[in-house]
Amino acid sequence: MNNQITYTTFNRNNTIDHCQDHQDIIKQYGINSVIEFGVGEGTNVFLENCIGKITSVELFTTNHTTAELLKISTDEWIDYSINQFEKYDNWNAVKYDVQSPILNAEYDVTGKGNKGITRGNNPSSKEYIKELSGLIDTLNVSEYDMAFVDPGIHLRGDIVNLLFNKVNIITAHDFHTKEIYGYSRITIPTNYSGYKGNYSNEGLGVFIKKDL
Protein backbone atom coordinates (compact mmCIF):
# COMPACT_ATOMS: atom_id res chain seq x y z
CA MET A 1 0.00 0.00 0.00
CA ASN A 2 1.42 3.37 -0.89
CA ASN A 3 2.03 6.27 1.44
CA GLN A 4 -1.35 7.93 1.06
CA ILE A 5 -2.49 5.78 3.99
CA THR A 6 -0.33 5.57 7.09
CA TYR A 7 -0.59 3.15 9.97
CA THR A 8 0.30 2.93 13.63
CA THR A 9 1.55 -0.06 15.60
CA PHE A 10 -0.81 -3.01 15.50
CA ASN A 11 -1.11 -5.78 18.09
CA ARG A 12 -0.62 -8.97 16.10
CA ASN A 13 -2.19 -10.98 18.92
CA ASN A 14 -5.52 -9.61 17.77
CA THR A 15 -7.27 -12.48 16.01
CA ILE A 16 -9.24 -10.10 13.76
CA ASP A 17 -6.19 -8.89 11.92
CA HIS A 18 -7.80 -6.46 9.48
CA CYS A 19 -9.02 -4.02 12.13
CA GLN A 20 -6.09 -1.59 12.19
CA ASP A 21 -6.06 -1.28 8.42
CA HIS A 22 -9.78 -0.55 8.42
CA GLN A 23 -9.62 1.89 11.30
CA ASP A 24 -7.09 4.00 9.44
CA ILE A 25 -8.86 3.79 6.08
CA ILE A 26 -12.08 4.88 7.83
CA LYS A 27 -10.27 7.83 9.38
CA GLN A 28 -8.32 8.79 6.24
CA TYR A 29 -11.35 8.78 3.94
CA GLY A 30 -14.13 9.74 6.34
CA ILE A 31 -15.98 6.46 5.90
CA ASN A 32 -19.48 6.54 7.40
CA SER A 33 -21.23 3.55 5.82
CA VAL A 34 -20.02 0.04 4.99
CA ILE A 35 -21.47 -3.02 3.33
CA GLU A 36 -19.60 -6.18 4.23
CA PHE A 37 -19.86 -9.61 2.68
CA GLY A 38 -19.36 -11.90 5.65
CA VAL A 39 -20.35 -11.05 9.22
CA GLY A 40 -18.25 -11.80 12.30
CA GLU A 41 -16.28 -10.34 15.15
CA GLY A 42 -14.62 -7.95 12.71
CA THR A 43 -18.01 -6.30 12.14
CA ASN A 44 -17.33 -4.45 15.39
CA VAL A 45 -14.62 -2.33 13.75
CA PHE A 46 -17.27 -0.78 11.49
CA LEU A 47 -19.91 -0.42 14.18
CA GLU A 48 -17.44 1.26 16.52
CA ASN A 49 -15.92 3.63 13.95
CA CYS A 50 -18.76 4.51 11.55
CA ILE A 51 -21.90 6.48 12.27
CA GLY A 52 -23.80 5.51 9.12
CA LYS A 53 -25.46 2.36 7.88
CA ILE A 54 -23.61 -0.95 8.29
CA THR A 55 -24.99 -3.89 6.32
CA SER A 56 -23.70 -7.43 6.71
CA VAL A 57 -24.45 -9.82 3.85
CA GLU A 58 -24.05 -13.49 4.68
CA LEU A 59 -23.96 -16.08 1.91
CA PHE A 60 -24.66 -19.56 3.24
CA THR A 61 -26.26 -22.93 2.67
CA THR A 62 -28.85 -24.53 4.90
CA ASN A 63 -27.45 -27.94 3.95
CA HIS A 64 -25.02 -28.52 6.77
CA THR A 65 -23.49 -31.62 5.19
CA THR A 66 -22.63 -29.62 2.08
CA ALA A 67 -21.33 -26.75 4.20
CA GLU A 68 -19.00 -29.07 6.09
CA LEU A 69 -17.70 -30.65 2.88
CA LEU A 70 -17.04 -27.33 1.17
CA LYS A 71 -16.11 -25.40 4.33
CA ILE A 72 -18.66 -22.66 3.74
CA SER A 73 -21.12 -20.87 6.03
CA THR A 74 -24.43 -22.17 7.30
CA ASP A 75 -27.52 -20.30 8.43
CA GLU A 76 -26.53 -20.90 12.05
CA TRP A 77 -23.73 -18.33 11.84
CA ILE A 78 -25.85 -15.48 10.55
CA ASP A 79 -28.59 -16.25 13.06
CA TYR A 80 -26.01 -16.16 15.85
CA SER A 81 -24.63 -12.87 14.52
CA ILE A 82 -28.08 -11.29 14.36
CA ASN A 83 -28.44 -11.99 18.07
CA GLN A 84 -25.08 -10.32 18.68
CA PHE A 85 -25.55 -7.17 16.59
CA GLU A 86 -29.27 -6.43 16.42
CA LYS A 87 -28.86 -4.02 19.35
CA TYR A 88 -27.18 -1.54 16.97
CA ASP A 89 -29.71 0.74 15.31
CA ASN A 90 -27.47 1.35 12.28
CA TRP A 91 -26.83 -2.36 11.56
CA ASN A 92 -28.84 -4.73 9.44
CA ALA A 93 -28.29 -8.20 8.00
CA VAL A 94 -29.02 -9.68 4.61
CA LYS A 95 -29.36 -13.47 4.53
CA TYR A 96 -28.71 -15.17 1.21
CA ASP A 97 -29.12 -18.92 0.77
CA VAL A 98 -26.84 -19.71 -2.17
CA GLN A 99 -28.30 -21.57 -5.12
CA SER A 100 -26.90 -24.27 -7.42
CA PRO A 101 -24.70 -22.01 -9.62
CA ILE A 102 -22.69 -20.83 -6.61
CA LEU A 103 -22.66 -24.27 -5.03
CA ASN A 104 -21.44 -25.85 -8.26
CA ALA A 105 -18.65 -23.29 -8.44
CA GLU A 106 -17.76 -24.03 -4.82
CA TYR A 107 -17.48 -27.73 -5.61
CA ASP A 108 -15.10 -26.82 -8.43
CA VAL A 109 -12.77 -24.41 -6.62
CA THR A 110 -12.50 -26.64 -3.55
CA GLY A 111 -11.72 -29.69 -5.68
CA LYS A 112 -14.70 -31.55 -4.23
CA GLY A 113 -16.67 -31.81 -7.46
CA ASN A 114 -16.76 -34.49 -10.14
CA LYS A 115 -15.46 -32.38 -13.04
CA GLY A 116 -11.77 -33.05 -12.48
CA ILE A 117 -10.98 -29.50 -11.38
CA THR A 118 -8.10 -29.19 -8.93
CA ARG A 119 -8.53 -27.17 -5.74
CA GLY A 120 -7.79 -23.50 -6.35
CA ASN A 121 -8.52 -23.54 -10.08
CA ASN A 122 -11.31 -21.61 -11.77
CA PRO A 123 -14.93 -22.82 -11.83
CA SER A 124 -15.99 -24.76 -14.91
CA SER A 125 -18.97 -22.48 -15.58
CA LYS A 126 -19.59 -18.75 -15.21
CA GLU A 127 -23.23 -19.19 -14.19
CA TYR A 128 -22.27 -18.40 -10.59
CA ILE A 129 -21.28 -14.88 -11.66
CA LYS A 130 -24.85 -14.26 -12.80
CA GLU A 131 -26.10 -15.36 -9.40
CA LEU A 132 -23.62 -13.15 -7.55
CA SER A 133 -24.42 -10.22 -9.84
CA GLY A 134 -28.13 -10.68 -9.27
CA LEU A 135 -27.60 -10.58 -5.51
CA ILE A 136 -25.42 -7.48 -5.66
CA ASP A 137 -27.99 -5.72 -7.84
CA THR A 138 -30.51 -6.01 -5.00
CA LEU A 139 -28.22 -4.43 -2.39
CA ASN A 140 -27.88 -0.82 -3.60
CA VAL A 141 -24.14 -1.06 -2.94
CA SER A 142 -23.46 2.39 -4.43
CA GLU A 143 -25.07 3.89 -1.32
CA TYR A 144 -22.08 2.82 0.80
CA ASP A 145 -18.70 4.47 1.24
CA MET A 146 -16.84 1.17 1.42
CA ALA A 147 -17.33 -2.55 0.83
CA PHE A 148 -15.49 -5.30 2.71
CA VAL A 149 -15.28 -8.77 1.11
CA ASP A 150 -14.81 -11.63 3.58
CA PRO A 151 -17.75 -14.02 3.06
CA GLY A 152 -18.08 -17.62 4.14
CA ILE A 153 -17.68 -18.80 0.55
CA HIS A 154 -14.61 -18.93 -1.69
CA LEU A 155 -15.72 -16.79 -4.66
CA ARG A 156 -14.38 -13.56 -3.22
CA GLY A 157 -12.40 -12.26 -6.17
CA ASP A 158 -15.54 -12.38 -8.28
CA ILE A 159 -17.42 -10.30 -5.71
CA VAL A 160 -14.62 -7.72 -5.81
CA ASN A 161 -14.87 -7.55 -9.61
CA LEU A 162 -18.62 -7.00 -9.40
CA LEU A 163 -18.17 -4.15 -6.91
CA PHE A 164 -15.79 -2.11 -9.08
CA ASN A 165 -17.38 1.16 -10.25
CA LYS A 166 -20.19 0.64 -7.78
CA VAL A 167 -18.27 1.28 -4.54
CA ASN A 168 -15.34 3.70 -4.29
CA ILE A 169 -13.31 1.73 -1.73
CA ILE A 170 -13.23 -2.07 -1.64
CA THR A 171 -11.24 -4.23 0.77
CA ALA A 172 -10.82 -8.00 0.70
CA HIS A 173 -9.54 -10.30 3.45
CA ASP A 174 -7.30 -13.39 3.28
CA PHE A 175 -5.60 -11.85 0.28
CA HIS A 176 -2.48 -13.97 0.71
CA THR A 177 -4.55 -17.00 -0.33
CA LYS A 178 -5.22 -15.85 -3.87
CA GLU A 179 -6.05 -19.14 -5.57
CA ILE A 180 -8.75 -20.65 -3.37
CA TYR A 181 -10.51 -17.30 -2.95
CA GLY A 182 -10.33 -16.39 -6.63
CA TYR A 183 -8.31 -13.24 -6.05
CA SER A 184 -6.19 -14.13 -9.07
CA ARG A 185 -9.32 -13.48 -11.16
CA ILE A 186 -9.50 -9.84 -10.10
CA THR A 187 -9.12 -7.34 -12.94
CA ILE A 188 -8.46 -3.87 -11.52
CA PRO A 189 -10.05 -1.12 -13.64
CA THR A 190 -7.78 1.71 -14.76
CA ASN A 191 -9.66 4.16 -12.52
CA TYR A 192 -8.78 2.21 -9.36
CA SER A 193 -5.47 1.73 -7.56
CA GLY A 194 -4.67 -1.52 -5.77
CA TYR A 195 -2.78 -1.73 -2.48
CA LYS A 196 -1.97 -4.19 0.28
CA GLY A 197 -2.73 -3.59 3.93
CA ASN A 198 0.27 -3.39 6.25
CA TYR A 199 -0.96 -5.30 9.27
CA SER A 200 -3.09 -8.28 8.30
CA ASN A 201 -1.22 -11.57 8.64
CA GLU A 202 -3.77 -13.16 6.30
CA GLY A 203 -3.52 -10.26 3.85
CA LEU A 204 -5.87 -7.38 3.06
CA GLY A 205 -6.35 -6.21 -0.51
CA VAL A 206 -7.41 -2.57 -0.83
CA PHE A 207 -8.83 -0.99 -3.99
CA ILE A 208 -9.44 2.75 -4.06
CA LYS A 209 -10.93 4.84 -6.82
CA LYS A 210 -8.31 7.25 -8.10
CA ASP A 211 -10.48 10.37 -8.02
CA LEU A 212 -11.11 10.25 -4.26
Side-chain angles (χ1 to χ4, degrees):
M1 186 172 291
N2 74 2
N3 60 9
Q4 70 175 332
I5 300 174
T6 58
Y7 297 91
T8 56
T9 302
F10 178 62
N11 180 2
R12 291 185 180 276
N13 293 324
N14 191 333
T15 57
I16 310 302
D17 68 357
H18 58 79
C19 288
Q20 186 65 56
D21 286 315
H22 277 133
Q23 285 173 351
D24 291 320
I25 291 171
I26 288 167
K27 182 177 179 180
Q28 177 81 15
Y29 287 93
I31 303 298
N32 287 315
S33 57
V34 177
I35 183 165
E36 63 169 357
F37 293 81
V39 65
E41 291 181 46
T43 301
N44 286 295
V45 73
F46 305 124
L47 290 170
E48 292 170 2
N49 291 278
C50 301
I51 60 174
K53 185 177 180 180
I54 308 299
T55 296
S56 301
V57 183
E58 188 67 20
L59 293 86
F60 62 88
T61 178
T62 55
N63 186 321
H64 290 203
T65 301
T66 299
E68 177 61 26
L69 176 65
L70 302 176
K71 304 303 180 189
I72 62 177
S73 287
T74 72
D75 51 320
E76 289 182 344
W77 179 245
I78 183 60
D79 290 340
Y80 168 82
S81 299
I82 288 172
N83 288 333
Q84 296 298 305
F85 296 124
E86 62 184 355
K87 62 186 177 183
Y88 292 94
D89 292 336
N90 63 330
W91 180 82
N92 72 295
V94 175
K95 300 169 66 172
Y96 183 77
D97 188 359
V98 298
Q99 303 302 301
S100 57
I102 287 177
L103 285 176
N104 290 339
E106 286 288 328
Y107 274 105
D108 286 345
V109 301
T110 57
K112 301 292 185 180
N114 58 6
K115 297 178 182 177
I117 295 176
T118 305
R119 178 180 172 85
N121 283 347
N122 293 333
S124 58
S125 168
K126 295 187 181 297
E127 287 299 308
Y128 73 99
I129 295 178
K130 294 180 182 178
E131 184 179 349
L132 287 173
S133 180
L135 168 63
I136 289 171
D137 286 346
T138 69
L139 298 173
N140 297 317
V141 295
S142 60
E143 296 180 354
Y144 298 87
D145 297 327
M146 182 170 73
F148 176 44
V149 179
D150 191 22
I153 64 170
H154 299 94
L155 307 172
R156 300 182 184 184
D158 304 288
I159 295 174
V160 172
N161 280 333
L162 290 168
L163 292 173
F164 283 132
N165 292 310
K166 295 183 177 71
V167 185
N168 289 335
I169 299 176
I170 305 162
T171 60
H173 197 219
D174 299 312
F175 210 71
H176 291 160
T177 315
K178 282 187 167 29
E179 287 75 21
I180 189 62
Y181 290 119
Y183 290 137
S184 58
R185 294 193 293 275
I186 291 176
T187 301
I188 304 174
T190 57
N191 59 331
Y192 279 78
S193 294
Y195 309 94
K196 293 181 180 179
N198 288 346
Y199 298 107
S200 172
N201 289 329
E202 300 301 323
L204 186 73
V206 181
F207 307 92
I208 301 175
K209 210 167 187 181
K210 291 179 179 178
D211 58 4
L212 285 188

